[in-house]
Amino acid sequence: MTQPLDFQSIIFTLQKFWADQGCLIWQPYYSQVGAGTYNPATFLRVLGPEPWNVGYVEPSVRADDGRYGENPNRLQQHYQFQVILKPDPGNPQELYLKSLEALGIDSRQHDIRFVEDNWESPALGAWGLGWEVWLDGQEITQFTYFQQSGGIQLDPVSVEITYGLERIAMPLQRVRHFKDIRWNAEHNYGDMNMQGEQEHSRYYFDVADVERSRQLYSLYEQEANLALEKGLVLPAYDYLLKCSQTFNVLDTRGVIGVTERQALFSRMREVAHRVSEQYLEQRQRQEYPWMKDDTLSSLVGASVRRRKASEDMPTRPVLFTTPQEFLFEIGTEELPASDLQSALAQLKERLPAVLDDLRLPHDEVIILGTPRRLVASVANLAARQADRTQLVKGPQASRAFDAMGLPTKAAEGFAKSRGIDVKALEVREIDGGKYAAAEVTESGRPAVEVLSEALPKLIAAIKFDKPMRWNSSNVYFSRPIRWLLALFGGRVVPFEYAGVQSGAVTRGLRFLDPAEIEVKTSQEYFTALAAQGILLDPEIRRHSIADQVIRLAIEAGGSDKLDETLLDEVNQLVEAPTALRGAFEESHLRLPPEVLISVMKKHQRYFPAQTPDGRLLPVFIAVRNGDDQYLDIVTDGNEQVIRARYADAAFFIDQDLHHKLEDFLPRLGTLIFQTKLGSMLDKSRRIERLVEPLSPEVGVQDMDTVRRAAHLCKADLVTHMVVEMTSLQGLMGRYYALYSGETEAVAQAIYEHYLPRFAGDDNPRSPAALVIGLADRLDSLAGLFAAGLAPTGTRDPFAQRRTALGLVQALTAWDLDFDVRQGLALASEGLPVPSTPEIQKACLEFIAGRLRSVLVEQENYRYDVVDAVLAAQQHNPAGAVRAVKQLAPRVTQPDWPTILPAYARCVRITRDQAQQFPLDPNALVEPAEKELCQALLKVEATPRRPGSMEDFLNAFLPIIPAISRFFEEVLVMVDDPALRANRLGLLQRIALLPKGVADFSFLEGF
Amino acid sequence: MTQPLDFQSIIFTLQKFWADQGCLIWQPYYSQVGAGTYNPATFLRVLGPEPWNVGYVEPSVRADDGRYGENPNRLQQHYQFQVILKPDPGNPQELYLKSLEALGIDSRQHDIRFVEDNWESPALGAWGLGWEVWLDGQEITQFTYFQQSGGIQLDPVSVEITYGLERIAMPLQRVRHFKDIRWNAEHNYGDMNMQGEQEHSRYYFDVADVERSRQLYSLYEQEANLALEKGLVLPAYDYLLKCSQTFNVLDTRGVIGVTERQALFSRMREVAHRVSEQYLEQRQRQEYPWMKDDTLSSLVGASVRRRKASEDMPTRPVLFTTPQEFLFEIGTEELPASDLQSALAQLKERLPAVLDDLRLPHDEVIILGTPRRLVASVANLAARQADRTQLVKGPQASRAFDAMGLPTKAAEGFAKSRGIDVKALEVREIDGGKYAAAEVTESGRPAVEVLSEALPKLIAAIKFDKPMRWNSSNVYFSRPIRWLLALFGGRVVPFEYAGVQSGAVTRGLRFLDPAEIEVKTSQEYFTALAAQGILLDPEIRRHSIADQVIRLAIEAGGSDKLDETLLDEVNQLVEAPTALRGAFEESHLRLPPEVLISVMKKHQRYFPAQTPDGRLLPVFIAVRNGDDQYLDIVTDGNEQVIRARYADAAFFIDQDLHHKLEDFLPRLGTLIFQTKLGSMLDKSRRIERLVEPLSPEVGVQDMDTVRRAAHLCKADLVTHMVVEMTSLQGLMGRYYALYSGETEAVAQAIYEHYLPRFAGDDNPRSPAALVIGLADRLDSLAGLFAAGLAPTGTRDPFAQRRTALGLVQALTAWDLDFDVRQGLALASEGLPVPSTPEIQKACLEFIAGRLRSVLVEQENYRYDVVDAVLAAQQHNPAGAVRAVKQLAPRVTQPDWPTILPAYARCVRITRDQAQQFPLDPNALVEPAEKELCQALLKVEATPRRPGSMEDFLNAFLPIIPAISRFFEEVLVMVDDPALRANRLGLLQRIALLPKGVADFSFLEGF
């Protein structure tokens, strides 16, 4: 084995490799950036239509990744090698994999994977779809199809490849820690950068002056805007980068609250957008100097040329006469798990329908797929469409035939236009009129012809939640389509989609030979892929994975229980699954198991192993894509990854455990919630005050727990572990609380006050957690509305929708009647900004809007039912839900069309009356009105629970016959004013009966 | 011819070249820096003893070099390739030249030169000695032996090689403008960077907000100090870099005055020093982890090994018996012109003396030299020293011989210690005593032996103004010594100096084959060098250059006048001179000829050509080092250089000419003179006020001119041309004034008020210029002293010495009596800070101190004469100089030893008297005292010009005989108090006679 490349040679090699591919080799930027993406050679050059291919090193600074040099692969500064290919050359994954080969990575010895990872920079208004590339579980590269930058849609899309050079060097050189990477013959990486890692980590985490950093941010921003005013794009961009880095420093110091973060992002995004717009304008004014006829979109050029060739020499398809097998494969770059699942489901539903529409009879349709291919196989598909006879309708008979019964000019014209012999026209009666018409028989066309037309549409009809574009065809798909196989009876069904021409060639498992396989039949196809270990059938694949994982788990002393969701996901990530078991240090088991499991599942898609009694074992089970060759190397690589991740978590938690949870409280003062609403400490104190009046409403018994938990509920936000992984908020709070000697109830309430965090999440189990959660959310909503920061249709930077939903979900789950109006009023009293009844009303309506959307869109209640109830009960979510549930079945019963109109008449006839008429039962004259009055008084006398729809309906429905009789027998609007007033008064009282329960005028049919 | 390298391949090639030399290849820094030197890989790594070899690209930002993309080779951002070799590998120039070859530069086709250029960064406290490397007149590389960094002496010294990549790419690719440099096959340099050049130029020159930039500077500095307090070296250094770049932006905006500049530099230097100290401490604490026995100082190791070898096997020198030729050559890297001149002079003086001391008779000694060699040739040098007989003096005779006359133990001991036979001792009378002594004859040693010992001392004795160290021998020389040739009778005189072993090998003209030439005789030596065109004799070389230059000038229509100073300099820059003539665009002749000529001479060492009537011609004459091969290429290269430089000047002047000179005045308000003393506009207004009372003193007639010129005198400081080349201040003021329609007198006064700028400079010719200059300097001195910023022994950041000297020189040149005390008092009235009489007195003494040093150190007057005069007249420099000139010859005349004591007696006898005694001539008794009184009264009655030494001496000297007689005949201190008092009164009157002229008690012999 030759000596592995040293670090500087890795860089040389990549420079040379990409230069040889025609990339310009560029230099790192002269400003601290978080990634190569921030270099203007990416950020600006991806804009606009000009082609651009570039590669460069970028020393990338990420303050919050600093680990004082202690973590094996996390650094405050790491080296990226960044490549931009614009437009997509058609084979960027293959080019990338070749570059790994050039570095000396033998793909057969490793598990190299493209794992869905979508990239977004909120500060730059940029995002793209793509993958992390994993080498034995380690992320070594980010591979992205850039969709937007600076808030501007990119056309063409750029391919962005970002190598993490340390992550590549470590396995290549077989070293365990970044410091041991050999840089050249003389020095290692630690020689060069260890001091920097230690010092900058200290600076970013412990030393940087917060006040000065804020001043710097502000000066940079002002200077960026000044430059923009003067039309100076690049200087403005430089200051934006400085803003971004200063933001990162502040963030690492832990002083940026959620809401301030959003505000700062939004300001940076605004600058990024203006920079991008002005840059594009410049290029446009310069008439896109890099546009050259011969270089524009090389790939598309190639495919265009190919298409032309096929037009010149159309390959006459063989016309079969008997049914044939049809095989269809959409070959893609690695699809995200959920997209694969969804695409398979869509194909399963649509393909048979499409074939039926095409009048192509067939036997079984089988849909299969892996991350790299969607496959349909149809047995015995008819070789031709069935013939079809249709009646073609022409002009009216009177216009089509003259008095003599001979066809007129109109008839001739029509016949000619439809290619029908005019003599075939006859008079037919259609929909009660008489028309000239003809029966036309259309012969079925060959299947291969209609499939050529239908298959592009079939692909186009597959929809994804987050689709992308990649080349100048600008079609959308989950990930780029790279080959299309379509065989009917072993012959190619010719068509083109997304710049790709259909053919008879499939591709095998990555890294196996041959990479491309020409097949003649379905049988050949399935045999070839099976030979490479690809399990095309998701069900079979899933079983295979489950079996392997469970076997390994049991071997390690674990139970046979599997996380089915994870299994589903892993199943969509591999073509040829082989499970392997790795181990990590027992010492990490002292960390909270939630943290360990969360890292395994979320970051690495590893299966944890737990003993039958739930104890976590120091092992993990990973599923590689490929066979069991070199499994030891792959396992070792994966072990390094999890070790580094756990070392990271341990590092944070150890730091945090130097203090009691309570000790963190003062630092909340430096974490800004929102400028006008103060720090998180201020907010935390408001919560403490607010739980006092709210607790009786919720029925809290144990005020000690409430008070203590409210006091501590936000303290974990400034712990290192939560600053690092915000998703652990609450969870770490519980853990640290127990460690600090708090009671189990307090610890649990700290955790649960965040519940529910998303639809379907657990709800708080204790009243203490419930009331703290209520107080927290009421404070946020009342506060942000009072601060003039209500969300708009498109912007919800403070996640107020989520907050309102949580409020509604919790109250509903507890089925707790609670007056949100009062809650908001109480919360408003404690705010540092003034509130008004109008503001609180707007806030209430916003909350009710969330409840409405849950009921209508998620629980599928009729919108009119929901609106009717909310019109009366929006202040009490639990009550409203109850009422909706009771009303909904009622309005679908057969008698409802008589009930509602009866009540509606009472309302409509009285609606325009300005005054409320008193009812004098004794002044009533007609029996029908007397009867109605009796019935009314009886309803009014029936005891009902406030807001209860059930009680209302039970009491009210019996009155309906009396109403009907009343309107049949009594004239309300008589001339006698007194009589009329009394009757109106009677109806007004009826109209008022549902008050506080619902407003039935919102119902359909009212 | 193969395709020249594109820009990215130039970088690859250098990376590969230096990696192959064992350099670590590093990355550009993530912060804007002015040069690769600022990258910590240089700035910090050069500190301390650890070896370090590195190469990297550095995009270098120099705001004030921005030219909006218009200048062909000046850019606000250019790319450097930086190499550090530590320790000196012994052949860094050769390595460097090989790297140029690797880039495809054929050294035979170009004029490649090492031109003295010493590098200094006042902000970093760093400096080094070395060269600019010129390629056909274009600076392409800075080559420096780093002597100090962060205020710390470097040991070992590092070699720093800084390539300017654009400057190399342009001639290589034969393009005329940086924008046309091909970056890769697809894009050129302009594609990549032109927009940046334009926008950043605008930003730096016109847009950057000054107030915000000052705030940024201050925040950075605070943060740097914070980091230092916490011991965080690298974060502190990052902020220092930010300070430096922000300083550059402010400077480019033209808002940094001279004094503020010094203050900011000093603050940055302080931080740089602390950073460096802390870095060194860290490395020391870590026990210099990069120190390895086998890598330490590879060169020195090699030379040590060589020396050992020669010790093991001493080559017995052939012992000649007859006189032989002696040839000695010190081979160096290119010596600075003045050092070469000085070294030759020293050798010429010392070598004969050394040979005489060594008792080595010889014929003619010839000293020759070029920038790369100092050569001595001695004809017929004796093969052995002459024998020498010496009397060796022993113990006193009485101790050496006993009563019997036999030698004692003492005598035996002495004889033994001197290796003399005790019998040889005899008694000799020496200096009046009797001693045991012996005549000892010492035989002469072979010449080669004594030369081996003497030559290292001879080299060490050559002294330079600014010597340097380069390797671990740590000897000082002008530039590194790389070979030593020493032949006596064709055999090597063996010795070692500075790690170099003497030998028989010389080196030829650079780039010619063979590079090394072994010679046996002087004849061979001179023949070999002559064959390569080297003119060893400076006189011959000078004639050759002069002839060639004049011939080319005349051909172009110029006169035969030559700038002799320039000729002297050029003569020291080449070994084999060939003159060439280039041309520049006629259009540049519209620029002020001073600017054009100054650029030619100072920057390029070109000879301008002027017609006999003084008109400048659009040509220049350069002198290359080498023959006339490829002279067209060399000429073309030089033309590109001068074009770029003139384009630069034209750019600035054109910009300035958009405005009248007066229009620049308001911007003076942004240029800070010194924080406490306000802006340059404030200063300019003070000058305007101060000329009013001063003008009558100077005898100004034309107040209009004075007022107008004073108003405008500083306006040019904020013009682009002067901001760019400060040395043109005043000169551009005159030019712009004329252009703005000011009178010739005003324009001239604006220029001349700066005169004299240095010793030997012109003096102001008009009273207007004189008075403005006085006002300017008085304001500066009075102001800075009042602000507490008087210079100290080692620190004179505001150049107050120069200011005071200018004041003194101007007054002296005009021979103008002027009371500086009054001038300072007037100036002090207008200051924004309070002054006191004490402060003004200190200031006056500081000025007088400068006058004293001019008179003593430059004009070689006796210090006692100067002190005597200054004690009485320091407030009036012109008067003092006059008095010194008159007194100086007098004190060397034979009668002076009688004159001075006579006067001195008068002074001494009265000096301790507390009171002044009245003189009553009538109460005198003795004739001698009566005579003296008569003489005194006559002297007192003689009219004298104030302060005039001549008048004083003429009047006073006749009194001397009377004084002498008085003291011979009269007793002063008689008992009679009245008589005594009267006599003391008489003497007191005499003592007072020189008052206001001199204080003779300062004279020697007083």
Side-chain angles (χ1 to χ4, degrees), chain A residues 168-235:
Chain A
I168 289 174
M170 285 170 62
L172 198 62
Q173 300 185 0
R174 306 206 171 215
V175 298
R176 300 301 202 205
H177 194 287
F178 73 83
K179 70 181 159 60
D180 299 319
I181 295 171
R182 286 178 294 283
W183 193 294
N184 73 344
E186 198 79 18
H187 292 286
N188 64 30
Y189 194 107
D191 281 348
M192 300 311 303
N193 288 337
M194 181 54 93
Q195 192 75 30
E197 285 302 314
Q198 292 166 349
E199 293 193 356
H200 290 299
S201 295
R202 273 199 62 206
Y203 177 74
Y204 293 135
F205 282 101
D206 312 322
V207 171
D209 186 272
V210 170
E211 189 40 47
R212 278 201 286 272
S213 299
R214 289 195 197 275
Q215 284 179 48
L216 286 173
Y217 182 94
S218 156
L219 290 167
Y220 293 150
E221 190 180 32
Q222 292 171 52
E223 208 60 10
N225 283 315
L226 170 65
L228 277 173
E229 274 166 35
K230 305 285 183 183
L232 302 179
V233 175
L234 297 170

Side-chain angles (χ1 to χ4, degrees), chain A residues 252-310:
Chain A
T252 305
R253 292 287 276 135
V255 297
I256 307 258
V258 180
T259 52
E260 190 191 14
R261 172 187 312 272
Q262 294 305 332
L264 293 177
F265 276 161
S266 147
R267 278 155 63 186
M268 287 191 274
R269 198 159 48 232
E270 173 65 21
V271 174
H273 182 60
R274 289 176 63 196
V275 163
S276 302
E277 273 190 336
Q278 291 196 15
Y279 174 79
L280 258 183
E281 279 165 25
Q282 278 179 358
R283 300 303 290 184
Q284 199 166 17
R285 268 200 307 280
Q286 296 165 15
E287 298 178 339
Y288 301 123
W290 297 359
M291 289 293 271
K292 291 172 208 159
D293 295 343
D294 60 330
T295 59
L296 211 200
S297 37
S298 52
L299 165 74
V300 177
S303 78
V304 165
R305 278 192 299 281
R306 231 177 308 147
R307 190 172 57 229
K308 274 192 182 148
S310 70

Side-chain angles (χ1 to χ4, degrees), chain A residues 848-992:
Chain A
R850 305 289 72 68
L851 177 55
R852 181 182 191 278
S853 85
V854 169
L855 291 169
V856 173
E857 283 155 36
Q858 286 171 34
E859 308 197 3
N860 292 313
Y861 286 104
R862 265 173 48 182
Y863 76 92
D864 58 336
V865 170
V866 173
D867 288 343
V869 170
L870 288 180
Q873 299 205 56
Q874 65 173 5
H875 60 282
N876 179 10
V881 170
R882 235 179 282 129
V884 166
K885 284 186 177 161
Q886 293 160 359
L887 178 57
R890 198 67 198 78
V891 299
T892 57
Q893 293 193 6
D895 58 351
W896 188 254
T898 57
I899 295 167
L900 185 62
Y903 171 70
R905 268 184 103 169
C906 306
V907 175
R908 278 202 300 265
I909 205 165
T910 56
R911 188 153 49 186
D912 297 331
Q913 301 299 327
Q915 68 176 119
Q916 183 70 35
F917 299 100
L919 168 63
D920 178 358
N922 297 326
L924 295 170
V925 181
E926 303 291 339
E929 61 184 331
K930 287 182 177 168
E931 182 195 357
L932 182 57
C933 183
Q934 286 310 313
L936 167 68
L937 295 176
K938 190 174 169 206
V939 174
E940 287 180 344
T942 309
R944 292 193 265 147
R945 285 165 294 181
S948 169
M949 180 63 74
E950 187 179 19
D951 292 358
F952 165 74
L953 290 173
N954 287 341
F956 177 71
L957 291 184
I959 205 179
I960 296 297
I963 297 175
S964 302
R965 185 176 161 206
F966 173 84
F967 281 114
E968 273 161 31
E969 297 178 12
V970 181
L971 182 65
V972 178
M973 302 310 263
V974 292
D975 287 343
D976 178 348
L979 198 57
R980 189 174 66 214
N982 206 24
R983 286 176 181 163
L984 286 170
L986 172 63
L987 294 176
Q988 279 177 330
R989 288 273 282 271
I990 294 169
L992 276 175

Side-chain angles (χ1 to χ4, degrees), chain A residues 8 25 30-32 45 183 195 199 203 209 212 220 222-223 230 233-234 239 282 286 290, chain B residues 8 25 30-32 183 187 192 195 199 202-203 209 212 220 222-223 233-234 239 282 286:
Chain A
Q8 67 188 28
I25 301 303
Y30 62 31
S31 192
Q32 290 180 332
R45 298 289 190 207
W183 193 294
Q195 192 75 30
E199 293 193 356
Y203 177 74
D209 186 272
R212 278 201 286 272
Y220 293 150
Q222 292 171 52
E223 208 60 10
K230 305 285 183 183
V233 175
L234 297 170
Y239 279 106
Q282 278 179 358
Q286 296 165 15
W290 297 359
Chain B
Q8 68 188 30
I25 301 303
Y30 62 30
S31 191
Q32 291 180 331
W183 193 293
H187 292 286
M192 301 311 303
Q195 192 76 30
E199 293 192 356
R202 273 198 61 209
Y203 177 74
D209 187 272
R212 277 202 287 271
Y220 293 149
Q222 291 170 54
E223 207 61 9
V233 175
L234 297 170
Y239 280 106
Q282 277 180 356
Q286 296 165 15

Side-chain angles (χ1 to χ4, degrees), chain B residues 288-583:
Chain B
Y288 301 124
W290 297 358
M291 290 293 272
K292 292 172 209 160
D293 295 342
D294 58 331
T295 59
L296 211 200
S297 35
S298 50
L299 165 74
V300 177
S303 78
V304 165
R305 276 194 298 282
R306 230 179 306 149
R307 191 172 57 228
K308 274 192 184 149
S310 69
E311 279 169 1
D312 290 348
M313 303 177 294
T315 44
R316 278 269 122 213
V318 175
L319 294 183
F320 294 99
T321 51
T322 56
Q324 301 290 329
E325 276 204 70
F326 172 56
L327 178 65
F328 181 42
E329 183 188 41
I330 305 172
T332 64
E333 298 181 355
E334 279 75 356
L335 301 172
S338 61
D339 283 356
L340 170 55
Q341 231 161 349
S342 149
L344 292 175
Q346 292 180 59
L347 277 176
K348 210 165 272 176
E349 187 182 320
R350 292 192 56 86
L351 181 56
V354 166
L355 296 175
D356 291 350
D357 278 357
L358 293 175
R359 309 194 312 278
L360 290 172
H362 55 83
D363 290 351
E364 194 185 11
V365 173
I366 299 173
I367 303 292
L368 303 169
T370 75
R372 284 187 81 204
R373 60 196 89 229
L374 302 169
V375 181
S377 160
V378 183
N380 289 317
L381 183 67
R384 297 188 73 88
Q385 293 179 298
D387 293 347
R388 175 165 64 169
T389 300
Q390 278 182 302
L391 186 70
V392 179
K393 176 179 147 194
Q396 285 186 324
S398 54
R399 285 186 51 241
F401 298 100
D402 61 14
M404 311 285 291
L406 294 175
T408 61
K409 293 257 175 196
E412 277 168 11
F414 165 72
K416 194 174 174 197
S417 75
R418 294 303 181 91
I420 304 168
D421 185 352
V422 73
K423 292 173 195 151
L425 288 181
E426 52 189 21
V427 175
R428 292 274 189 110
E429 193 166 317
I430 299 170
D431 289 339
K434 289 190 170 173
Y435 297 89
E439 278 214 336
V440 176
T441 299
E442 187 190 333
S443 333
R445 294 163 61 210
V448 73
E449 264 185 48
V450 292
L451 285 173
S452 286
E453 294 163 13
L455 292 177
K457 292 179 199 154
L458 176 66
I459 303 173
I462 304 175
K463 296 299 176 199
F464 298 96
D465 281 348
K466 222 171 179 182
M468 57 171 275
R469 296 166 299 122
W470 63 98
N471 66 17
S472 72
S473 75
N474 271 335
V475 301
Y476 282 87
F477 206 73
S478 165
R479 288 294 180 276
I481 297 172
R482 293 306 185 187
W483 76 92
L484 292 166
L485 179 148
L487 290 180
F488 181 67
R491 295 309 185 106
V492 171
V493 179
F495 71 97
E496 194 234 303
Y497 189 75
V500 177
Q501 195 70 30
S502 65
V505 174
T506 183
R507 300 192 191 174
L509 189 65
R510 276 197 196 281
F511 314 119
L512 286 190
D513 280 328
E516 302 204 331
I517 307 165
E518 183 152 8
V519 296
K520 293 243 160 50
T521 62
S522 294
Q523 193 51 46
E524 266 186 48
Y525 173 86
F526 288 114
T527 307
L529 294 190
Q532 296 204 342
I534 295 175
L535 301 182
L536 277 174
D537 186 329
E539 276 313 301
I540 294 173
R541 203 162 63 230
R542 191 176 193 278
H543 278 297
S544 165
I545 296 170
D547 287 351
Q548 295 184 59
V549 171
I550 288 171
R551 182 175 49 74
L552 289 174
I554 289 174
E555 275 176 20
S559 75
D560 63 356
K561 273 195 289 184
L562 261 192
D563 180 326
E564 299 282 331
T565 316
L566 181 62
L567 177 58
D568 279 337
E569 187 184 359
V570 169
N571 187 33
Q572 317 298 341
L573 297 178
V574 288
E575 296 203 298
T578 300
L580 58 90
R581 189 177 64 231

